[in-house]
Amino acid sequence: MKKVVLVIFSVFLLAACGEKPQSVGGSQRYEPAFMGTGMAAFTAPGWKPGDKTSWELALRARMQYGQNEYSRSN
Amino acid sequence: MARMKFICDSQRCIECNGCVTACKNENEVPWGINRRRVVTLNDGVPGEKSISVACMHCSDAPCMAVCPVQCFYRTDEGVVLHDKDVCIGCGYCSYACPFGAPQFPAQGTFGVRGKMDKCTFCAGGPEANGSEAEFEKYGRNRLAEGKLPICAEMCSTKALLAGDGDVVADILRTRVVQRGAGAEIWGWGTAYGTKAGGKDAGAKS
């Protein structure tokens, strides 16, 4: 009987050792933008989803063409 | 690519609120929340100046620093985003933000604050790119579609510029050089109406 009580008591004492982590933290599970959305209908042409370099070049061209009229007029 | 930034050219902004409308439409932002708004100083007075303001995606974001549950994160492009599944709606970010970017929807019978909502630079959130869950919580993910934020792309006078900080700074610099003035136009003098009319008295421009 004593052994049973001792085992139960030990399990109770060791319960804290199995505690799940409770720390909060920001989500780091975001998907990089250059991976694309997988929906070709809404994706701008001129780059390949998954290719970071082509995505950056396409965006950079869009920044210039769409926003810098001096580069278009000269 | 450097960090994504917004710049608003106060010489060009005509207070049309097209950016505000485009943002609300594109992201289906609910009533009571404006992720972007146009601020006009000296409204109605000749020489009034307007700028479009939203989350500026700070390099050292105070909202990120004060959040007790660390729901904010920064993408590789420097866009400051948050996880609505982690946000507890405490409002600390709202007090910390100098631009009034964090918005809180009134939910429930007693107007309890809901999850924080803010400009995402049209970069969605931590859900899968282009997913329905992402759209419902954060709006469109235009960056993943190879596009820039809708507010800047819709701006009729191109006052609002969005994109790589180096690129948009160069565009603004080109404009200022062409005009011959304007770098100092948005500052203390403009905001508080000195006789210098937009130029800080005694300050070098």
Side-chain angles (χ1 to χ4, degrees):
Chain A
M1 185 63 187
K2 275 187 177 177
K3 280 185 179 175
V4 174
V5 171
L6 192 65
V7 168
I8 291 172
F9 191 65
S10 303
V11 168
F12 179 74
L13 280 179
L14 291 170
C17 299
E19 192 176 15
K20 291 179 181 175
Q22 296 182 27
S23 57
V24 289
S27 177
Q28 301 299 326
R29 59 190 165 92
Y30 74 93
E31 196 178 355
F34 69 85
M35 296 304 289
T37 58
M39 289 180 286
F42 297 116
T43 303
W47 65 285
K48 187 182 170 190
D51 182 357
K52 190 175 184 182
T53 310
S54 72
W55 176 76
E56 285 183 354
L57 288 173
L59 263 187
R60 200 171 277 268
R62 201 174 172 106
M63 286 168 210
Q64 282 294 339
Y65 184 76
Q67 302 184 125
N68 190 4
E69 60 272 26
Y70 289 108
S71 67
R72 282 187 285 165
S73 60
N74 296 326
Chain B
M1 190 170 286
R3 291 174 179 276
M4 291 292 188
K5 293 290 176 193
F6 285 118
I7 295 182
C8 187
D9 187 344
S10 64
Q11 292 282 63
R12 287 193 178 204
C13 182
I14 56 172
E15 199 193 353
C16 70
N17 277 284
C19 49
V20 179
T21 311
C23 172
K24 288 202 72 130
N25 181 60
E26 184 81 346
N27 299 303
E28 294 190 8
V29 180
W31 283 100
I33 295 178
N34 273 339
R35 290 183 178 181
R36 176 169 287 285
R37 63 204 171 283
V38 177
V39 177
T40 304
L41 298 176
N42 299 324
D43 201 358
V45 177
E48 66 176 30
K49 290 284 181 292
S50 302
I51 51 165
S52 178
V53 185
C55 173
M56 300 300 277
H57 301 278
C58 306
S59 302
D60 185 12
C63 55
M64 206 175 220
V66 300
C67 180
V69 292
Q70 296 167 23
C71 77
F72 291 91
Y73 62 98
R74 184 179 284 110
T75 69
D76 295 339
E77 294 81 42
V79 180
V80 177
L81 298 175
H82 71 296
D83 188 340
K84 285 193 178 182
D85 292 341
V86 178
C87 175
I88 56 172
C90 67
Y92 282 13
C93 51
S94 169
Y95 299 123
C97 177
F99 305 106
Q103 305 276 302
F104 292 88
Q107 289 179 341
T109 312
F110 301 104
V112 176
R113 264 198 299 243
K115 307 278 187 184
M116 189 272 278
D117 192 283
K118 76 170 189 71
C119 160
T120 64
F121 208 87
C122 284
E127 307 290 343
N129 285 351
S131 65
E132 200 170 328
E134 183 184 53
F135 181 75
E136 281 181 9
K137 289 180 191 171
Y138 309 100
R140 278 287 283 283
N141 192 338
R142 290 175 57 87
L143 276 193
E145 293 171 358
K147 301 169 187 170
L148 292 168
I150 190 70
C151 51
E153 294 211 324
M154 281 287 291
C155 182
S156 56
T157 60
K158 294 295 164 214
L160 185 61
L161 304 172
D164 190 331
D166 295 340
V167 175
V168 292
D170 277 345
I171 295 172
L172 187 67
R173 192 175 300 115
T174 307
R175 290 180 186 178
V176 170
V177 168
Q178 292 284 333
R179 287 177 204 145
E184 72 291 345
I185 202 70
W186 191 259
W188 187 272
T190 308
Y192 297 101
T194 61
K195 289 178 182 175
K199 294 178 182 176
D200 286 342
K204 287 182 180 177
S205 58

